[in-house]
Amino acid sequence: MNALPFFEWCEATTIGQAIRDSAWLFPVIESAHLLGLCLLGGAVLIVDLRMLGLALGGQTVGEVARGARRWLMLGVGVMLLTGTPLFLSEAVKCYYNPSFWVKITTLPLALAFAFGVRQRIGEKAALASALTRVVALASMALWFTVAAAGRWIGFSS
Amino acid sequence: MTILSALEWLARTPWSVALHESLYVWPFLESTHVLMLTLFVGTAVMLDLRLLGLAFRRMPVSELTGRLLPWTRAGGAVMVITGFLLFYATPVRNYQNIFFRIKVVLLILAALNVYLFHSRPHRRVKEWDLDPVAPRAARVAAVVSLLAWAGVVVAGRLIAYNWFDCDIQPQPPFVNWVAGCVVPPADQ
């Protein structure tokens, strides 16, 4: 199956067109995307560092994980809401961009892992264990790949 | 010797040219700089949210400042190192970039706010450690922190755009003044 027509359709959408036609829209949306990265990254790392036993040792893993959850969700929401229009504005470039494909395959994995695996284990755990450490390392590796590949989309053209 | 001529000399040093022209080192430094936002700004935001009573309301504030801020500082150190190297790669271009100048001003403001928070409200944190919402002075510091760091991030991102660069003329006199452009007088 050839996905290129779908990417061409994405690029032809009104939103994609409007962003390409504007000098300011792309940088503004991208700035918001970066601010979302700060929020998402902070909410991810505060829990992963606790699960590794490297921060906030006076609190249980569960307390930190539950406290960060809604900020994690907000961060994900901002990223998806800003990332989608950025993609629409240059969908065909993305189609030919290996970094984009790395990002778009690891992103659902990172999301599924965050809410399907890490949340269940983290919110119930009290102390850092071998299990929480493995989960935290997997979480950091997944999100790192998504973020680094995302940044690299802009370098490879 | 002016700052500009010193930076023009800096731009001619071999390592600056090498960084500027490198295919992979510059993108690697830039990526590291951006990804460190998660550790540096991200963890600082978590503290700000706690001070405002928007997250971790039952966590002692001293727990965050004592056992999370070391990570914030580590992230900040990497950002400073990579930031200086990125500046060193194109010193003149950065120095005369309007967004870079805005970023520096906001950085100073953000750093001053960190200093004031730690020397004033946080000094007596034991008195309000478990308050779900921190006292007014700490909340003000949290709001200033969120706004200043957000401004630093956005201004930093916009450095990449050349809309107001000195070699793109004519620009409004105000823009040239803020960016420090040396513009020859227009022909009659």
Side-chain angles (χ1 to χ4, degrees):
Chain A
M1 200 190 81
N2 184 6
L4 184 57
F6 171 71
F7 283 72
E8 286 168 341
W9 176 83
C10 287
E11 190 158 311
T13 54
T14 317
I15 297 176
Q17 204 114 44
I19 296 171
R20 273 197 309 283
D21 289 344
S22 159
W24 288 86
L25 269 178
F26 191 92
V28 167
I29 300 171
E30 201 179 38
S31 296
H33 199 59
L34 269 183
L35 294 177
L37 173 75
C38 297
L39 183 61
L40 175 60
V44 165
L45 285 174
I46 195 173
V47 180
D48 284 345
L49 288 171
R50 178 61 192 92
M51 289 179 108
L52 287 167
L54 294 175
L56 304 173
Q59 311 295 305
T60 67
V61 173
E63 281 171 318
V64 179
R66 285 191 299 275
R69 192 207 308 176
R70 65 170 160 154
W71 296 100
L72 174 66
M73 289 166 74
L74 183 66
V76 167
V78 172
M79 294 307 267
L80 293 178
L81 221 61
T82 52
T84 306
L86 290 175
F87 161 74
L88 291 176
S89 77
E90 49 175 32
V92 174
K93 173 192 154 182
C94 287
Y95 177 81
Y96 292 107
N97 190 312
S99 302
F100 169 79
W101 289 102
V102 172
K103 174 168 183 171
I104 211 66
T105 40
T106 47
L107 176 59
L109 291 178
L111 286 171
F113 189 78
F115 295 107
V117 179
R118 196 187 74 150
Q119 182 170 303
R120 279 179 206 184
I121 291 169
E123 293 192 2
K124 267 185 262 163
L127 301 173
S129 62
L131 177 66
T132 65
R133 285 190 175 90
V134 170
V135 168
L137 287 176
S139 163
M140 289 167 83
L142 279 169
W143 285 119
F144 170 81
T145 310
V146 174
R151 171 59 274 216
W152 215 263
I153 292 172
F155 289 136
S156 47
S157 47
Chain B
M1 187 166 72
T2 62
I3 296 175
L4 184 60
S5 61
L7 293 176
E8 280 167 346
W9 169 81
L10 197 65
R12 286 192 300 269
T13 56
W15 282 43
S16 174
V17 176
L19 270 180
H20 182 151
E21 293 181 349
S22 72
L23 253 179
Y24 292 108
V25 180
W26 194 90
F28 172 78
L29 287 173
E30 162 68 18
S31 300
T32 308
H33 195 65
V34 171
L35 263 59
M36 272 299 137
L37 283 176
T38 59
L39 190 61
F40 178 55
V41 180
T43 52
V45 166
M46 294 297 121
L47 171 62
D48 293 334
L49 293 174
R50 167 64 185 89
L51 295 173
L52 294 170
L54 296 172
F56 312 109
R57 288 165 67 100
R58 280 184 296 185
M59 195 185 294
V61 170
S62 62
E63 174 84 358
L64 281 159
T65 53
R67 299 167 101 168
L68 184 67
L69 278 198
W71 289 102
T72 314
R73 288 189 203 102
V78 177
M79 293 215 77
V80 168
I81 293 166
T82 50
F84 267 99
L85 288 170
L86 290 169
F87 177 84
Y88 176 52
T90 48
V92 175
R93 203 260 154 182
N94 282 313
Y95 175 65
Q96 293 189 322
N97 183 282
I98 203 163
F99 299 112
F100 178 82
R101 293 185 169 209
I102 294 170
K103 177 175 176 173
V104 170
V105 171
L106 290 172
L107 266 176
I108 294 169
L109 182 73
L112 190 67
N113 183 57
V114 169
Y115 169 77
L116 286 175
F117 170 72
H118 285 278
S119 62
R120 303 282 175 84
H122 187 260
R123 174 159 287 184
R124 277 188 261 139
V125 67
K126 285 297 167 200
E127 293 169 22
W128 50 273
D129 215 5
L130 281 164
D131 293 3
V133 179
R136 190 185 166 80
R139 293 200 314 271
V140 170
V143 170
V144 172
S145 165
L146 288 171
L147 293 176
W149 289 119
V152 168
V153 171
V154 173
R157 182 60 190 90
L158 295 181
I159 291 172
Y161 292 90
N162 65 352
W163 303 318
F164 304 116
D165 272 13
C166 292
D167 54 6
I168 297 183
Q169 297 293 342
Q171 297 278 1
F174 173 75
V175 169
N176 280 329
W177 177 72
V178 175
C181 298
V182 184
V183 184
D187 293 333
Q188 275 78 31

